[in-house]
Amino acid sequence: MFAVLALATTAGPASAQQVGEVGVDWLGNDIIVEAVKDPKVEGVTCHVSYFDRGVIDRLQKGNWFEDPSDTAISCQQTGPIKIGDIDLDEGGEEIFKQGISLIWKEQVVNRIYDKANDTLIYLAHSRQVQDGSAKMSMTTVPLFGQEVVWEKGKPQ
């Protein structure tokens, strides 16, 4: 509920499409599953899940304006891979973000290219002004042996 509202106000580089919602208790808490397509890598889709606190849970426990930092991610090849002008440095590139609190806290997905292993790495984590969270999830999409089209030529 709150994450969907926050998404509408803090759109990131890619948009997400909700593909699942699983109720986990009687308080209205849910696990949301969204599909995120990498805006610069055609043929790769990431599925991100996160916890969305219900109104009753927020009223009972306080901390009304934020969801937990927990997130999970899985990315797979879902079509022919065509790689555009991606950032190749160690920090990679943010491909998706959405707010998970009223202000300051975001759920983020970064893409990093591991040149030595010819692999795309996708890292889901939360970003906060202070008290950063070590909760993260990672997945990879190997490019080795795949027919990959690099828009600007494969990095050497």
Side-chain angles (χ1 to χ4, degrees), residues 38 40-44 77 79-89 92-93 111-122 141-156:
D38 188 325
K40 293 186 180 179
V41 180
E42 290 179 31
V44 171
Q77 179 178 355
I81 296 179
K82 181 178 179 185
I83 300 177
D85 186 18
I86 65 171
D87 193 335
L88 299 173
D89 69 359
E93 184 171 4
R111 177 202 341 95
I112 300 167
Y113 176 59
D114 176 357
K115 185 173 140 183
N117 295 295
D118 203 16
T119 300
L120 295 172
I121 301 167
Y122 291 88
V141 177
L143 302 176
F144 178 78
Q146 303 294 326
E147 290 187 34
V148 177
V149 175
W150 288 82
E151 196 173 271
K152 293 196 169 194
K154 186 173 181 178
Q156 300 302 320

Side-chain angles (χ1 to χ4, degrees), residues 17 87 110 123 133 144 149:
Q17 176 186 1
D87 193 335
N110 287 78
L123 174 68
S133 174
F144 178 78
V149 175

Side-chain angles (χ1 to χ4, degrees), residues 27-113:
L27 300 178
N29 294 318
D30 297 320
I31 295 173
I32 305 296
V33 180
E34 295 179 331
V36 177
K37 294 201 179 280
D38 188 325
K40 293 186 180 179
V41 180
E42 290 179 31
V44 171
T45 303
C46 297
H47 289 91
V48 179
S49 64
Y50 58 91
F51 192 80
D52 184 31
R53 293 175 57 216
V55 174
I56 296 171
D57 185 60
R58 291 174 191 279
L59 292 172
Q60 281 185 336
K61 296 179 182 165
N63 197 6
W64 301 352
F65 302 110
E66 84 178 31
D67 283 323
S69 297
D70 301 299
T71 188
I73 187 169
S74 178
C75 300
Q76 300 292 321
Q77 179 178 355
T78 55
I81 296 179
K82 181 178 179 185
I83 300 177
D85 186 18
I86 65 171
D87 193 335
L88 299 173
D89 69 359
E90 281 187 358
E93 184 171 4
E94 184 177 284
I95 68 154
F96 175 75
K97 71 178 175 183
Q98 69 181 353
I100 55 174
S101 74
L102 188 57
I103 54 175
W104 310 121
K105 187 175 174 183
E106 298 174 315
Q107 176 187 46
V108 180
V109 176
N110 287 78
R111 177 202 341 95
I112 300 167
Y113 176 59

